[in-house]
Amino acid sequence: MSAASPARDADPAAGSPVPGEVIDPDYPVTPVPTHARKGFFSLMVVLLGFTVFTPTMLAGASLGKAFGLRDLLVVIALGSLVLGAYVAVLGWIGARTGLTTVVMARYTLGTRGSKLASILLGGTQIGWYGVVIGTIGDLTAQAFGWEGFAARAGVMVVVSALMCATAVYGYRGMYWVSLISTPLILILAFWVMFRSLEEVGGWAGLAAVHPDATMTTAVAVTAVVGTFVSAGTQAPNWTRFGRTGRQAVLACVVGFLIGNGLMIFFGAIGAITFGEGDFVLVLFQLGLVGWGLFLLFGNLWKSNADAAYSFGVAGAELFERPSKTRFVIIGSVIGTALALLGVNEHLPQYLGLLGTFIPPLGGIIIGDYLARWRRTQMPEGEALPKVNWVLLGVYAGSCALAWLAGEFGIGIPPVIGIVAALVLSVACARLSPRRGA
């Protein structure tokens, strides 16, 4: 029985419905059925809306100050290729199985071991949700010259409610928000890019700019990969709606290789020409406050709705409930509270550290799927072990390697973690229990 078909005797640990509880049309803990699958265009719109994310420009800003145009393009291409390949494979598995990342973790780490994945992925997304809410409040206050806390807090609460409602509405809500806002945001971003080029005398002038900072290629590629490798690990949350694995792969390539790469490039150009990587602040500098706020709200609304959706499905898996709604609301309240308390200003470095421990999770899911589940597609209702200690050990060891690589400046830490997890999970496949006792 394939993962996309209904189970006849579903395991309660797999999130069977509780009597009287409404079934979520987004299927957060069960495979997406055939009738609910989407086409390539729909997947592409949602994933582009996920990755066209203005804070990514800040990573591009650091690269723009350290590389000339030719080397900059090479670094962005290499990093985006690595990121796109990793996410595309995960996206392919998501479409083949119809499952979210955290539910796939049940087959890899066991029904209890997967709770680690839900806490890690859901918790980091709540944190980033709070960071974005706080950023919106601060930039809006900066645009209007507000000094008091009340107006800033009001903006945070209102925009959080909009993002929460979009996530509760599910895949359809994120599709329509992305379909409307992403093209407009990209048009505005390209306009700012051409306006920036005018400042330096076109492409020839940009190529003639000499960098005033230094950065190794390995560090630069790590920065590109790191922009979305943690969030990209949750790409199956959306690609599971794809009708075919091929469509999911192409959508991931468009979103993570092209979309994310463009945002990094935009940030680099902004830093070179205006000394500011974030196009929102560039528009403020140009006196276009209204357009800056449009770019801010339109962009972060859809991206943060994706974050809310992710911690919603993680909560559904963690507490084994068939609906994500209550967890989207609870997580949004927690994230907004963090922003109101000002904790968001101190979270990014901590959340970045946690990013070291997320990519290896994707690596073991890929490796374990290829070694043990490719033929059966993670069948629903499978009697799974509570904890797969073998792969839990592989995960811990891969995280340690990624962390040590970062501490000693060796290679690209996220990639090291992914590759180590993938190779070791394949090597240890025969030691992993397929079924529970």
Side-chain angles (χ1 to χ4, degrees), residues 328-343:
V328 170
I329 295 171
I330 292 170
S332 298
V333 170
I334 294 172
T336 305
L338 291 173
L340 292 171
L341 293 172
V343 179

Side-chain angles (χ1 to χ4, degrees), residues 29 91 117 129 163 233 242 267 283 298 334 347 387 411 430:
V29 291
Y129 183 92
M163 294 167 181
T233 302
L283 287 166
I334 294 172
L347 279 177
V387 180
R430 293 189 177 182

Side-chain angles (χ1 to χ4, degrees), residues 210-259:
H210 295 288
D212 56 7
T214 57
M215 182 185 297
T216 66
T217 300
V219 170
V221 172
T222 300
V224 175
V225 174
T227 54
F228 252 89
V229 70
S230 296
T233 302
Q234 303 193 69
N237 293 352
W238 300 278
T239 64
R240 65 198 172 98
F241 286 92
R243 293 195 182 104
T244 67
R246 183 172 179 271
Q247 290 178 343
V249 168
L250 291 175
C252 288
V253 168
V254 173
F256 287 85
L257 196 156
I258 300 175

Side-chain angles (χ1 to χ4, degrees), residues 48 50-61 76 80 185-186 189 227-228 255 257-270 277-279 295 299 302:
L48 261 181
F50 187 35
T51 57
V52 176
F53 184 52
T54 53
T56 302
M57 294 179 176
L58 299 178
I76 293 176
S80 298
I185 289 167
L186 285 174
T227 54
F228 252 89
L257 196 156
I258 300 175
N260 190 65
L262 275 176
M263 298 310 288
I264 292 174
F265 183 61
F266 290 153
I269 289 181
D278 191 335
F279 274 15
L295 181 59
N299 181 257
K302 57 187 175 54

Side-chain angles (χ1 to χ4, degrees), residues 117-144:
S118 295
I119 292 170
L120 184 62
L121 293 176
T124 52
Q125 290 303 299
I126 290 175
W128 283 120
Y129 183 92
V131 169
V132 170
I133 293 295
T135 300
I136 290 175
D138 291 342
L139 289 178
T140 303
Q142 178 181 335
F144 290 106

